[in-house]
Every structure is written in structure tokens, then in C-alpha cells.
Amino acid sequence: MHINYTLIGKRIRELRMIQGLSQESLAAFSNLSTVFICNIENAKKHPSLASLISIADALGVTMDDLLIGNQTNQPEDYRTDIDLLLYDCSGTEKRFLFDILKSTKNTLRQNDWEILPRPAKSSYYPRE
């Protein structure tokens, strides 16, 4: 099994920056060194499970949020990214963005602009 430590590091950096934390702050909150956080974000060191749990706790996220993209079979590849994007939006902004996304999806399908095969039907997100 291959673990993509580069992806994990990018996710940690992304989540840290969204929260406005420095590497020093994240290190302090997770009881790890700043150098270690930097090395994790740059995939120079491979964090242990205990370190990842400490980082997830410090960021207030789940382990899924840190590890997303590492499993080969993920039906919800972009769910966390979309949740993060919508996190600070008002209800009106969320509705507006949803309408844009829905229209874009419909346009892609109507014009046969599919790049990748559609995923199998999901019980979480029924097709229209």
C-alpha cells in the first residue's frame, strides 16, 4: 500500500492556512516541533499515527480530513474540499454557489464534456 505523504502534507498546510495558523502555532497546539511540522508539510518526514492524531486534534478536524485522497476507492473525493470552501459562506452565498455548480454539471453533461467516467450511482447523492 502506498501512502502519499506529499498529499498529507499539502492537506495539513491547507487546513492550517485556512485557520490562519503558523507552523509554530500548530506545533505548539499539537505538542510537536516546528521543524517536524515543516518537514511533514514538505513530505520530508513521515508522521506517525500518533502525530497525525495530534495534528488533527490541533486543527479541529478528523483524520479523514488529513488522509483524504490516500485511499484508492473514495466515493467522496472532493466533499471535504467543498465543505472547506463553503465553511465561511453565508446561506445566500452557499445557495448561489450551489446553483452555479449544478448549472455547470448540467452543461458538462448536456454537451458531452465528460473528462472522466461518471462514478457509480451513490445512495448519498442520487442523480437527477
Side-chain angles (χ1 to χ4, degrees), residues 53-123:
I53 290 171
S54 293
I55 292 168
D57 286 344
L59 291 170
V61 299
T62 67
M63 288 291 289
D64 285 347
D65 294 328
L66 297 184
L67 301 176
I68 193 163
N70 270 290
Q71 283 183 279
T72 55
N73 184 14
Q74 291 194 81
E76 300 174 356
D77 283 338
Y78 294 101
R79 186 169 190 180
T80 300
D81 294 330
I82 292 170
D83 290 342
L84 288 170
L85 180 71
L86 298 176
Y87 173 74
D88 62 345
C89 291
S90 70
T92 303
E93 290 170 326
K94 288 178 183 176
R95 185 71 216 172
F96 184 74
L97 291 169
F98 172 79
D99 288 342
I100 290 171
L101 184 60
K102 185 176 178 182
S103 294
T104 302
K105 175 183 151 185
N106 288 337
T107 300
L108 288 171
R109 291 188 176 171
Q110 287 171 359
N111 292 298
D112 236 4
W113 290 344
E114 256 183 88
I115 296 169
L116 299 173
R118 293 182 195 163
K121 205 173 211 181
S122 167
S123 59

Side-chain angles (χ1 to χ4, degrees), residues 15-35:
L15 292 166
R16 175 180 62 76
M17 292 180 80
I18 285 171
Q19 294 186 26
L21 294 174
S22 65
Q23 288 179 338
E24 294 81 11
S25 297
L26 179 57
F29 292 141
S30 59
N31 294 316
L32 300 169
S33 74
T34 303
V35 172

